[in-house]
Amino acid sequence: MGTAPVVGGLVALGPLLAADGLGLGVAAVSEPGPEPAGPAEAAAAAAMPPRRRLEFLAGRRAARRALRAVGLDCGEIPRSGRLPVFPPGRTASISHSTGIAVAVAGAPGRDLPLGCDLELRPLPREAARLVLREDEEPLLPDAGLPPGADAVWSVTELFSAKESAWKALTVMTGEGREGPADSLRGLRVSPREDGLRVCLRADPARAVRVRVVRVGAGAFSYVIGRAATRG
């Protein structure tokens, strides 16, 4: 699938995210004239290899578009380490895959965790052991069922969902981002009516709801809110 159809398909998801109080922004590295929005972005981009520079700037454009979708303006977005630093009252989550950047922003007053992930390269079934634990493997395709049928999900969809949740459930410390222990295997994913529930294995009460949308052979996922504690 070429870049234009993927970008168009992602942009078409804007109303779906808007219903959840989220803004969506999409940008491609192939857009003409990608320029930093200010000196901090320029300094960060200048130190990067050419491909990474294009991805970085596309991610910033996507974040500004996501914020504009919820009525917020935003100039340059500097970074601390590898993390974007947004002005007060503005926040977004950014992801990149195969030359496309996507971002999700929260509407003003929406005090809920944010996280998104785009995976346009499908993962093989053998990668499941790097993402899932034994109690999650029943979610994978079995008996010839297609991904997404009867609460069955592909490895790519589950990986993407966990990546989104990881971003939403991380804690910011003085040293940077502190994620769940054991990386993605430190999270547990389970199906629910409107998508997936992902929680910390070490603290199951810390959980989020994640929606996953197929994009070609890949997946786009985003956190839609906190998940209720299960008894």
Side-chain angles (χ1 to χ4, degrees):
M1 183 182 292
T3 297
V6 173
V7 170
L10 288 168
V11 170
L13 297 174
L16 179 64
L17 275 77
D20 291 316
L22 297 168
L24 175 68
V26 184
V29 299
S30 58
E31 292 178 21
E35 296 294 338
E41 284 188 12
M48 298 175 181
R51 183 68 181 182
R52 172 63 186 130
R53 177 181 187 274
L54 291 174
E55 291 177 343
F56 170 79
L57 294 175
R60 266 37 185 189
R61 292 197 303 276
R64 282 187 282 273
R65 291 168 184 173
L67 287 162
R68 284 200 296 270
V70 293
L72 297 171
D73 61 351
C74 185
E76 70 169 344
I77 304 169
R79 65 177 187 165
S80 175
R82 293 179 58 86
L83 303 177
V85 179
F86 294 94
R90 293 156 178 79
T91 185
S93 176
I94 304 171
S95 182
H96 312 84
S97 183
T98 64
I100 297 175
V102 64
V104 171
R110 185 184 187 275
D111 184 23
L112 291 173
L114 280 178
C116 74
D117 181 71
L118 180 64
E119 301 293 335
L120 297 178
R121 293 191 181 95
L123 297 173
R125 176 65 172 78
E126 294 73 23
R129 61 186 179 83
L130 304 175
V131 181
L132 308 174
R133 294 196 185 184
E134 186 174 331
D135 58 355
E136 297 167 308
E137 291 188 1
L139 295 173
L140 294 171
D142 192 20
L145 290 174
D150 296 333
V152 176
W153 304 77
S154 71
V155 176
T156 307
E157 290 168 328
L158 296 174
F159 175 86
S160 184
K162 284 196 172 189
E163 281 283 336
S164 294
W166 193 93
K167 294 176 182 179
L169 293 169
T170 53
V171 176
M172 296 304 298
T173 69
E175 290 72 39
R177 175 182 285 168
E178 180 180 296
D182 197 23
S183 189
L184 296 185
R185 284 168 53 87
L187 300 171
R188 186 176 190 277
V189 60
S190 55
R192 52 169 294 144
E193 295 77 10
D194 57 352
L196 293 167
R197 180 184 191 272
V198 186
C199 69
L200 293 178
R201 288 184 178 272
D203 185 4
R206 288 183 58 194
V208 292
R209 295 178 292 135
V210 180
R211 181 165 290 146
V212 182
V213 181
R214 287 184 220 163
V215 182
F220 168 57
S221 65
Y222 58 98
V223 172
I224 56 178
R226 297 184 180 91
T229 303
R230 289 185 172 180

